[in-house]
């Protein structure tokens, strides 16, 4: 339990700062300020700053690598940059290993480490920016693999009670680019560790994104990892060179009937069977609607991949929000399909009480 009722502003933990710019902490590089700010490297420090913010009745926002954020203004309350570190091998048998990984670890470094150890399961998720703790939030995915496929459980700090507990993967509401952490649990938990189970036996997923075409007849773990990295580098802008947050829209999922109708009108439509229906390639829809390479008011649509919106020079998110609306409208008028945004908007919009349970 957090006992913090005696805290006052003057008891501010030493690691806290006021009015810190978040522009270096989001890959879109939009301007935003945190009212209070802390970078935490261990659980003790996290508990301390959370207790303090709770005592002040301040909202708490956690940021990892800032690679899936759309900062639309200053953030009231405490912003925590999660830098918890450590990787532990918690179980091992002939077939698999279980790893418990601290939430502030860099996701791609973890993938690299697992490939070096000959542990299979996350090689297709190489080069996704950000932290391990954010991976479950939107159930990161690429090339036919989603992180939910290997997550066993997620350790969280419950903000209201201060309790640290494990949540089983099946309770986290994982779905395509979604989970309860992004939905009804938003603002309730801070993810502190993630336990993954990886295979010691080769099990490759090569049927997506043309991966097979890039890999020779000899398939190896290191080969798949290198290929994923090479393909991604050729298609996606490096946020260090051109500010972006990866895919800006989710691939829309439509029914079989809608898919059939669209195929009749657009025989080249790019789509994949998904659940009971089909997933449409949002990048193709945007590209065909004529947006690829578009640039205005300091923002634009990446010239090699229309799914990625980029920030050339804009200080604020407003021109990007305008561009988002224009793209959504034009795609809707052309295909009758509504595009949904992937990055998380901060400050978070208020969630209604009914949705919270
Ligand atoms: C070039 C590029 C390519 C990308 N490619 C992919 C891709 O292929 N597939 C894919 O799925 N994503 C992709 N992304 C998106 C992004 O990298 C992932 O969503 C990543 O998991 C975000 O991690 P982060 O640490 O940067 O999270 P942040 O952007 O810092 O945070 C994202 C959300 O998670 C919350 N959060 C972060 N850490 C915690 C925590 N410890 N506890 C609770 N909540 C937390 C934040 O509050 C926020 O709501 C890409 C982004 C870029 C820039």
């Amino acid at each position: 339990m957090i006992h913090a009722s005696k805290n006052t502003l003057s008891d501010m933990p030493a690691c806290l700062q006021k009015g810190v710019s978040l522009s270096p902490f989001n890959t879109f590089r939009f301007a935003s300020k945190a009212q209070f700010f802390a970078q935490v490297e261990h659980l003790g420090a996290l508990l301390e700053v959370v207790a303090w913010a709770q005592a002040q009745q301040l909202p708490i926002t956690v940021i990892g690598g800032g690679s899936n954020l759309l900062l639309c203004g200053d953030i009231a309350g405490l912003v925590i940059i999660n830098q918890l570190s450590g990787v532990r091998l918690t179980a091992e048998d002939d077939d698999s290993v279980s790893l418990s990984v601290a939430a502030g670890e860099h996701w791609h470094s973890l993938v690299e480490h697992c490939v070096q150890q000959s542990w299979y399961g996350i090689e297709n998720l190489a080069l996704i920016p950000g932290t391990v703790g954010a991976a479950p939030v939107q159930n990161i995915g690429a090339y036919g693999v989603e992180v939910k496929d290997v997550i066993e459980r997620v350790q969280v700090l419950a903000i209201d009670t201060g309790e640290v507990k494990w949540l089983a993967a099946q309770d986290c509401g994982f779905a395509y680019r979604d989970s309860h952490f992004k939905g009804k649990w938003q603002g309730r938990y801070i993810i502190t560790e993630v336990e993954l189970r990886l295979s010691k036996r080769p099990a490759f997923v090569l049927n997506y994104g043309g991966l097979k075409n890039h890999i020779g007849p000899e398939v190896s773990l290191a080969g798949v990892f290198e290929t994923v990295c090479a393909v991604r580098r050729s298609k996606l802008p490096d946020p260090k060179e051109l500010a972006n947050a990866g895919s800006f829209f989710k691939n829309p999922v439509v029914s079989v009937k809608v898919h059939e109708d669209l195929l009749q009108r657009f025989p080249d439509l790019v789509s994949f069977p998904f659940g009971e229906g089909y997933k449409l390639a949002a990048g193709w829809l945007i590209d065909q609607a004529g947006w690829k390479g578009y640039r205005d008011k300091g923002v634009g649509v990446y010239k090699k991949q229309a799914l990625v919106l980029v920030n050339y020079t804009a200080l604020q998110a407003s021109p990007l929000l305008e561009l988002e609306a224009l793209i959504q409208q034009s795609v809707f008028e052309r295909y009758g399909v509504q595009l949904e945004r992937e990055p998380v908007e901060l400050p978070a919009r208020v969630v209604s009480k009914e949705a919270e349970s």
Side-chain angles (χ1 to χ4, degrees):
M1 280 289 285
I2 292 177
H3 298 289
S5 54
K6 289 189 206 127
N7 286 356
T8 66
L9 264 183
S10 57
D11 296 327
M12 234 169 80
C15 65
L16 281 190
Q17 293 170 262
K18 273 184 178 177
V20 173
S21 163
L22 295 176
S23 135
F25 298 98
N26 77 100
T27 59
F28 261 132
R29 301 277 175 258
F30 287 132
S32 163
K33 262 192 188 157
Q35 185 186 4
F36 295 97
F37 174 92
Q39 303 195 54
V40 299
E41 293 177 4
H42 55 86
L43 193 58
L46 180 65
L47 291 169
E48 188 189 10
V49 295
V50 167
W52 177 83
Q54 279 289 88
Q56 311 302 322
Q57 299 187 332
L58 293 171
I60 295 174
T61 303
V62 191
I63 294 181
S67 64
N68 207 28
L69 294 184
L70 187 58
L71 294 187
C72 294
D74 292 346
I75 304 187
L78 172 63
V79 173
I80 298 171
I81 306 291
N82 171 16
Q83 296 180 336
L84 303 179
S85 62
V87 181
R88 286 181 297 127
L89 184 68
T90 50
E92 181 167 19
D93 60 25
D94 289 347
D95 297 320
S96 65
V97 291
S98 292
L99 293 180
S100 196
V101 188
E105 288 286 342
H106 185 224
W107 174 261
H108 176 70
S109 304
L110 175 71
V111 176
E112 227 172 1
H113 172 71
C114 294
V115 168
Q116 280 160 7
Q117 300 298 318
S118 300
W119 296 332
Y120 298 77
I122 52 174
E123 55 282 0
N124 289 29
L125 304 180
L127 226 56
I128 297 181
T131 53
V132 168
V137 174
Q138 77 151 358
N139 178 27
I140 57 168
Y143 299 101
V145 172
E146 292 182 325
V147 75
K148 75 167 172 55
D149 303 339
V150 295
I151 290 182
E152 295 218 294
R153 50 187 194 148
V154 178
Q155 191 195 60
V156 293
L157 164 62
I159 289 176
D160 58 349
T161 61
E163 186 191 1
V164 176
K165 61 182 178 185
W166 285 97
L167 304 172
Q170 63 266 27
D171 297 331
C172 294
F174 291 127
Y176 167 60
R177 296 294 187 278
D178 205 8
S179 76
H180 290 334
F181 299 108
K182 206 178 173 181
K184 66 179 186 180
W185 290 346
Q186 197 177 10
R188 185 184 292 187
Y189 295 127
I190 297 174
I191 296 171
T192 47
E193 275 190 41
V194 180
E195 192 169 88
L196 310 175
R197 185 148 189 235
L198 301 175
S199 174
K200 288 181 167 181
R201 312 253 180 235
F204 296 112
V205 179
L206 303 174
N207 294 331
Y208 293 82
L211 216 48
K212 219 180 241 167
N213 306 333
H214 296 277
I215 293 176
E218 296 286 307
V219 183
S220 69
L221 184 56
V224 173
F225 171 80
E226 294 298 342
T227 305
V228 169
C229 292
V231 173
R232 289 183 68 99
R233 284 197 182 100
S234 72
K235 281 191 186 166
L236 295 170
D238 180 347
K240 287 192 195 107
E241 284 156 24
L242 182 54
N244 76 93
S247 305
F248 195 81
F249 298 103
K250 296 182 186 182
N251 290 320
V253 176
V254 298
S255 66
V256 173
K257 170 83 176 66
V258 170
H259 183 251
E260 264 171 22
D261 292 348
L262 280 170
L263 260 187
Q264 288 209 334
R265 287 166 53 214
F266 305 98
D268 298 336
L269 182 77
V270 180
S271 59
F272 317 88
F274 183 80
E276 312 251 297
Y278 283 85
K279 206 190 264 182
L280 309 179
W284 186 89
L285 302 176
I286 299 166
D287 184 358
Q288 296 295 303
W291 288 101
K292 199 189 258 181
Y294 177 90
R295 179 172 176 167
D296 191 27
K297 297 181 188 165
V299 298
V301 179
Y302 188 50
K303 60 179 187 296
K304 292 190 201 167
Q305 167 55 277
L307 195 50
V308 179
L309 302 193
V310 294
N311 176 21
Y312 294 103
T313 55
L315 291 179
Q316 310 284 345
S318 40
L320 196 82
L321 296 175
E322 282 173 34
L323 177 58
E324 172 189 37
L326 289 173
I327 293 173
Q328 281 171 327
Q329 189 187 345
S330 102
V331 165
F332 188 76
E333 281 167 5
R334 196 175 158 96
Y335 308 100
V337 170
Q338 187 62 45
L339 289 179
E340 198 185 321
R341 183 196 295 162
E342 186 182 298
V344 177
E345 181 173 327
L346 291 179
R349 295 189 192 192
V350 178
V351 182
S352 73
K353 279 285 168 207
E354 302 92 76
E356 270 185 2
S357 61

